[in-house]
């Protein structure tokens, strides 16, 4: 029995010893899409996500605030892309192949937000979401629903979509 | 001088040696006188001066002893000890009195006698005072005794000591004077002896001269005259010294008489002698002619004998030389044969070496060819590896595209999941499908990562192989160069062995010719040897004949010589 086997067996025993999670039955569940921004995990209600698209061939727009990354062409539609890292004043990590764009929409508004990496879809029980930690300062705090049990920051999509500061009026 | 000449030889010798004896007697007498005087002087020295000195030394010791003893008595308290010391003092007194008396009897010098008397009187006074001291000590008053002893007595003691010392010095001076006188007298006598010796030497030289002149020279002259008479028959000479009266004179007279008698007897036989002389002369003439002829014959036969002997010995030497030469030729022939054999071997060896080097040449050519093949193979391998490397690059491209596809499927799966979530309860099955697609995408991503790792390893290995192939190529090139060089070297070797083989063949041919020549020389030498032997034997016969002839000549000569004429 070598080291690898032993580690495998230990892993299995740990999994078996884990306390089974509380059953989600009867709870109000929320489907979210989890993604990472500047090394931290964020989640967003999947009902507002129309699709996820890789960041390709975007065009920066002059004369716009710095949180607007630019616009891109998705299957013939023009979509503006907002960089939440700049908006929340988080440290920049640079753009690459793995960057994705989450296309958010409701009846009034449609735009994309840039994500460093998409983690995947998850279900989070709504009552496990803790209110936002008061130490979070700046603009980020008002767009947060709270922190899930897995330490994922759950964003308030409606607030982002309804936010007038994101709308650029160049009258 | 004339008187001395007339003395007989005995008297001359008596006179000469008598005078010498007289001188010797004078010397003996003088030596006797001197030795007697020396003995007397020595006796006086021993009996008077030496004895005086000894007695004085003893007396000085006694005086000092007495002085020491009385001082010892002063510090002695016990009665028996005092008595013992007093007894020693008395004995010492008696001894010193005796000694002074002896000195008086042997003293010769009046001054010394007077001084001895002075010492005697002083010692007497000293004794008296000492008696007083002894009385004081025995009565128990040693302090007074000490006072007396260190005062008056000490002065007396010093005076006595001084006198004795003066006497000693005087006595030694007298001894020295006598020794000086003795040596002077002895020197004077030595001078006399030397003088007498000189006179004696002069006298002896004179005597020898006289004897020579009067005896030896006349005898020599007379013997010369007698020799003249005997040798030349010269009867007209006069005899000297006949007038002297000694033995020389008598000898001269006898010679004169003998000469007279000889003169008388020679005249009678002269006539007869003349006839005989004539006849003898005739015979002598004939005999002389015969003698001359025989002499010529003997000389000629001797010469012939000598010449034939020389020729015979020459022939023998020649025969020996020829034999030696024949031996040498045989040795040279054998050496030539040996060298011919060796040359043949060398030639064969050279041929073998040439063949071997040709084989080597072939082998090297094959090696070069093989090396070229290896080089081509290596190049093919290198090209193959390079192709492999390019192909692995294209595999990398494929992997990248697969990875991209996996990423896109992943994204697609996420989108599908979102869509499923939007569909609510109806979309749940689809959500599972989407999840599966996502896990498949993850797996393909992992697989591509693994393939990438493996590909990276393969690329590293192929580049190492490319390098190795390159190095192998270089090594093969170096090998090709080396083998070409080896081929050239073997070529040169082949050439030189071929030349060596040719040379060896030539050597074989020439040594064979040499051998044949040596055989011919051997045959010639044998012929010469036989001729020389025959020559030597015939020479022996000639020599024998010459010897016979010579003996004949010698016999004839002896016959002629022995004849009376």
């Amino acid at each position: 029995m070598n080291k690898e086997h032993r580690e495998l067996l230990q892993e299995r025993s740990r999994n078996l010893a884990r306390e089974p999670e509380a059953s989600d039955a009867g709870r109000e569940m929320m489907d979210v899409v989890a993604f990472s921004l500047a090394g931290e995990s964020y989640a967003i209600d999947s009902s507002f996500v129309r699709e996820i698209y890789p960041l390709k061939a975007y065009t920066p727009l002059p004369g716009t605030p710095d949180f607007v990354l630019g616009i891109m062409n998705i299957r013939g539609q023009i979509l503006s892309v907002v960089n939440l890292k700049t908006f929340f004043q988080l440290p920049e990590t640079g753009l690459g192949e793995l960057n994705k764009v989450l296309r958010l929409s409701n009846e009034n508004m449609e735009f994309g937000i840039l994500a460093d990496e998409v983690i995947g879809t998850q279900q989070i029980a709504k009552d496990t979401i803790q209110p936002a930690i008061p130490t979070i300062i700046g603009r980020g705090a008002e767009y947060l629903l709270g922190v899930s049990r897995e330490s994922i920051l759950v964003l308030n999509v409606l607030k982002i979509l309804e936010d007038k500061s994101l709308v650029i009026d160049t009258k | 001088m004339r008187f001395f000449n007339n003395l007989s030889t005995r008297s001359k010798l008596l006179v000469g040696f008598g005078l010498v004896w007289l001188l010797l007697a004078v010397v003996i007498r003088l030596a006797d006188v001197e030795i007697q005087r020396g003995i007397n002087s020595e006796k006086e020295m021993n009996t008077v001066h030496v004895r005086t000195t000894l007695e004085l030394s003893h007396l000085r010791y006694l005086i000092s002893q007495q002085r020491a003893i009385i001082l010892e008595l002063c510090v002695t308290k016990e009665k028996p000890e005092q008595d013992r010391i007093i007894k020693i003092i008395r004995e010492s007194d008696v001894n010193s009195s005796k000694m002074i008396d002896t000195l008086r009897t042997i003293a010769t010098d009046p001054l010394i006698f007077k001084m001895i008397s002075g010492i005697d009187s002083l010692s007497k006074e000293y004794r008296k005072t000492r008696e007083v001291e002894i009385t004081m000590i025995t009565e128990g008053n040693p302090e007074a005794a000490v006072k007396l002893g260190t005062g008056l007595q000490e002065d007396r003691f010093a005076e006595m000591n001084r006198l004795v010392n003066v006497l000693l010095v005087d006595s030694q001076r007298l001894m020295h004077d006598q020794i000086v006188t003795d040596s002077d007298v002895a020197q004077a006598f030595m001078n006399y002896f030397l003088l007498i010796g000189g006179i004696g030497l002069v006298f002896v030289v004179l005597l020898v001269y006289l004897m020579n002149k009067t005896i030896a020279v006349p005898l020599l002259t007379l013997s010369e005259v007698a020799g003249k008479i005997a040798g030349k028959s010269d009867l007209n000479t006069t005899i000297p010294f006949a007038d002297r009266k000694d033995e020389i004179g008598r000898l001269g007279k006898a010679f004169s008489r003998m000469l007279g008698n000889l003169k008388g007897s020679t005249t009678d036989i002269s006539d007869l002698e003349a006839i005989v002389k004539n006849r003898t002369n005739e015979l002598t003439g004939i005999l002389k002619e015969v003698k001359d002829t025989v002499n010529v014959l003997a000389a000629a036969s001797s010469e012939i004998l000598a010449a034939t002997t020389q020729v015979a010995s020459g022939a023998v030497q020649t025969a020996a030389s020829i034999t030696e030469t024949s031996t040498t030729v045989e040795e040279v022939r054998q050496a030539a044969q040996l060298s011919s054999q060796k040359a043949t071997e060398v030639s064969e060896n050279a041929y073998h070496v040439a063949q071997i080097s040709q084989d080597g040449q072939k082998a090297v050519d094959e090696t070069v060819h093989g090396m070229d093949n290896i080089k081509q193979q290596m190049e093919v391998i290198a090209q193959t590896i390079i192709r492999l490397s390019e192909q692995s690059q294209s595999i990398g491209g494929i992997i990248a595209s697969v990875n991209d596809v996996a990423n896109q499927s992943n994204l697609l799966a996420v989108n599908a999941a979102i869509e499923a979530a939007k569909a609510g309860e109806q979309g749940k099955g689809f959500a599972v499908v989407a999840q599966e697609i996502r896990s498949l995408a993850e797996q393909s991503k992992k697989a591509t990562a693994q393939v990438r790792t493996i590909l990276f390893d393969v690329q590293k290995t192929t580049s190492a192989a490319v390098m190795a192939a390159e190095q192998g190529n270089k090594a093969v090139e170096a090998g090709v160069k080396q083998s070409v060089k080896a081929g050239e070297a073997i070529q040169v070797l082949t050439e030189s062995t071929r030349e060596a083989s040719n040379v060896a063949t030539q050597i074989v041919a020439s040594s064979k010719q040499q051998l044949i020549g040596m055989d011919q020389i051997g045959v010639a030498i044998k012929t010469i040897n036989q001729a020389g032997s025959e020559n030597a034997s015939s020479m022996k016969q000639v020599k024998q004949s010459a010897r016979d002839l010579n003996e004949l000549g010698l016999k004839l000569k002896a016959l002629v010589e022995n004849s009376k004429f």
Side-chain angles (χ1 to χ4, degrees), chain B residues 271-405:
Chain B
D271 296 341
L272 199 65
E273 221 170 47
I275 298 161
V276 174
K277 210 173 185 178
N278 281 337
R279 290 205 183 146
T280 318
N281 278 345
E282 284 167 16
L283 275 176
T284 311
I286 296 160
L287 200 62
K288 207 176 178 185
E289 281 174 18
V290 174
K291 214 187 243 174
D292 287 349
T293 318
V294 168
N295 274 343
V296 167
L297 188 67
S301 67
S302 287
E303 278 173 15
I304 291 166
L305 180 60
T308 48
T309 310
Q310 275 180 6
V311 170
S313 66
V316 170
Q317 277 178 7
T318 309
S321 307
I322 286 163
T323 311
E324 279 176 16
T325 310
S326 120
T327 315
T328 313
V329 164
E330 182 61 27
E331 282 171 6
V332 170
R333 201 187 70 82
Q334 281 176 1
Q337 201 165 8
L338 200 68
S339 67
S340 164
Q341 280 177 8
K342 293 285 173 194
T344 313
E345 283 173 18
V346 168
S347 160
E348 282 170 7
N349 281 343
Y351 181 67
H352 280 307
V353 170
Q355 276 187 342
I356 289 163
S357 59
Q358 271 175 2
D359 289 352
Q361 182 72 35
K362 272 183 199 163
V364 166
D365 286 344
E366 281 167 12
T367 308
V368 170
H369 189 64
M371 280 291 178
D372 277 338
N373 281 346
I374 291 168
K375 196 180 168 187
Q376 283 172 8
Q377 292 291 329
M378 285 304 287
E379 275 166 7
V380 170
I381 289 167
Q383 281 173 4
T384 312
I385 287 167
I386 287 163
R387 251 198 329 272
L388 193 66
S389 169
E390 284 167 2
Q391 283 168 356
S392 65
Q393 292 282 347
S394 58
I395 290 170
I398 293 163
I399 287 165
S401 56
V402 169
N403 199 28
D404 200 29
V405 167

Side-chain angles (χ1 to χ4, degrees), chain A residues 31 33 46-54 56 97-98 100 117-121 123, chain B residues 404 407-408 410-415 417-422 424 428 435 438 442 445:
Chain A
D31 284 313
V33 175
S46 64
S47 55
F48 295 99
V49 180
R50 273 189 65 186
E51 70 171 319
I52 300 168
Y53 200 79
K56 273 188 210 164
E97 286 269 310
L98 292 172
K100 304 288 187 290
E117 200 176 343
V118 172
I119 297 165
T121 55
Q123 281 195 326
Chain B
D404 200 29
N407 272 334
Q408 284 180 17
N410 190 18
L411 205 59
L412 201 63
V414 173
N415 282 334
I418 291 164
E419 289 302 323
K422 278 179 189 163
K428 275 230 166 127
Q435 188 61 39
R438 194 168 176 234
E442 289 290 331
K445 211 172 174 183

Side-chain angles (χ1 to χ4, degrees), chain B residues 468-482:
Chain B
E470 195 70 23
Q471 280 177 358
N473 227 344
K474 276 180 188 166
V476 166
E477 269 174 26
V480 168
K481 272 185 193 167
Q482 288 294 329

Side-chain angles (χ1 to χ4, degrees), chain B residues 117-177:
Chain B
S117 300
I119 291 168
D120 190 28
S121 60
L122 260 174
S123 83
K124 273 171 186 158
E125 278 174 42
Y126 181 81
R127 266 181 223 160
K128 267 181 207 160
T129 318
R130 201 184 53 206
E131 286 307 317
V132 175
E133 274 182 67
I134 290 168
T135 337
M136 279 173 180
I137 290 160
T138 46
E139 279 166 6
N141 194 2
E143 288 84 5
V146 168
K147 199 178 174 188
L148 206 59
T150 51
L152 185 65
Q153 287 289 86
E154 182 151 4
D155 292 344
R156 276 175 190 155
F157 169 73
E159 183 61 22
M160 273 196 290
N161 248 345
R162 190 185 67 78
L163 281 174
V164 170
N165 282 340
V166 165
L167 268 178
L168 264 172
V169 169
D170 275 351
S171 154
Q172 278 165 6
R173 183 177 52 74
L174 282 171
M175 269 163 74
H176 184 254
D177 286 354

Side-chain angles (χ1 to χ4, degrees), chain A:
Chain A
M1 194 161 78
N2 57 23
K3 199 178 169 186
E4 210 174 313
H5 289 151
R6 196 179 298 138
E7 276 178 3
L8 185 67
L9 290 175
Q10 278 174 356
E11 177 68 28
R12 283 178 186 171
S13 65
R14 265 201 297 278
N15 287 338
L16 288 171
R18 196 180 289 158
E19 206 176 310
E21 282 178 25
S23 174
D24 292 335
R27 285 189 183 175
E28 195 183 349
M29 297 303 287
M30 184 171 78
D31 284 313
V32 294
V33 175
F35 62 95
S36 67
L37 269 183
E40 288 200 71
S41 300
Y42 289 81
I44 200 162
D45 193 343
S46 64
S47 55
F48 295 99
V49 180
R50 273 189 65 186
E51 70 171 319
I52 300 168
Y53 200 79
L55 179 69
K56 273 188 210 164
Y58 71 92
T59 309
L61 274 184
T64 54
D66 53 357
F67 58 81
V68 178
L69 189 67
I71 53 170
M72 60 187 292
N73 179 3
I74 299 175
R75 291 188 282 275
Q77 291 185 343
I78 299 299
L79 184 76
S80 60
V81 181
V82 172
N83 190 354
L84 283 182
K85 281 186 278 184
T86 317
F87 192 69
F88 292 161
Q89 293 168 348
L90 294 170
E92 275 295 336
T93 51
L95 299 173
E97 286 269 310
L98 292 172
N99 285 82
K100 304 288 187 290
V101 176
L102 278 68
R103 189 172 167 191
L104 308 181
S105 64
N106 63 355
E107 305 85 52
N108 307 318
M109 195 68 186
E110 186 179 53
F111 61 85
I113 59 171
L114 184 74
D116 284 352
E117 200 176 343
V118 172
I119 297 165
T121 55
Q122 286 178 359
Q123 281 195 326
I124 297 171
K126 274 188 180 168
D127 55 351
T128 61
I129 298 172
Q130 304 286 319
I133 301 162
T135 50
I136 295 173
I137 52 161
R139 273 198 268 188
E142 48 189 302
Y143 302 104
L144 276 179
L145 269 181
V147 182
S148 82
R149 207 162 44 188
E150 293 86 10
S151 305
I152 298 173
L153 298 159
V154 185
L155 291 172
N156 190 346
V157 185
L158 272 177
K159 191 134 193 196
I160 295 169
L161 283 168
E162 305 282 298
D163 194 356
K164 292 288 180 249
S165 63
L166 281 170
V167 178
I168 298 137
D169 191 1
T170 53
K171 263 188 244 174

Side-chain angles (χ1 to χ4, degrees), chain B residues 225-239 255-268:
Chain B
V225 169
K228 269 183 198 166
I229 292 165
K232 296 179 183 173
S233 303
D234 186 5
L235 303 178
N236 293 327
T237 46
T238 51
I239 304 298
F255 266 116
S256 293
R257 271 208 304 282
M258 192 181 76
L259 199 63
N261 289 343
L262 279 173
K263 274 177 184 168
S265 62
T266 45
T267 48
D268 298 336

